[in-house]
Amino acid sequence: MTMNLTPEQIEDLKKGFAEVDEDGNGTIDKKELATLFQKMFGDDDDIDIEASVEAAFEGCDVDNDGSISFEEYVKLATSDS
């Protein structure tokens, strides 16, 4: 998963993940992701936060457990697409 990343890059990813993982349980749930998107997009009427969260989970929640693990987060953060 992280073999092509430097220790500094891994640490940066861990910090970013921890900022979104508000309850500190080691996963990002839909509410936490919605909070992040709300902070990012604010009152932009062109952005449907709920639809964006659903789309993100469709692409990230590989094991379909209803949350994004650190491993799934890394895959998203380091993907080329």
Side-chain angles (χ1 to χ4, degrees):
M1 163 190 71
T2 59
M3 66 178 137
N4 294 330
L5 300 174
T6 67
E8 294 81 14
Q9 290 171 316
I10 294 169
E11 190 58 35
D12 286 345
L13 287 168
K14 286 181 181 178
K15 287 178 184 176
F17 184 86
E19 288 178 16
V20 180
D21 179 19
E22 294 175 339
D23 62 10
N25 71 347
T27 62
I28 298 170
D29 62 28
K30 290 181 180 182
K31 180 181 175 202
E32 291 167 329
L33 192 59
T35 299
L36 172 66
F37 285 177
Q38 186 64 43
K39 288 177 185 175
M40 290 171 55
F41 302 120
D43 294 330
D44 187 340
D45 291 334
D46 293 334
I47 304 294
D48 181 340
I49 300 293
E50 187 175 330
S52 297
V53 168
E54 290 300 323
F57 264 77
E58 282 181 28
C60 297
D61 185 17
V62 177
D63 59 8
N64 295 312
D65 68 351
S67 62
I68 298 172
S69 67
F70 180 68
E71 291 79 14
E72 291 167 328
Y73 174 83
V74 169
K75 287 178 185 175
L76 172 68
T78 59
S79 69
D80 291 335
S81 56

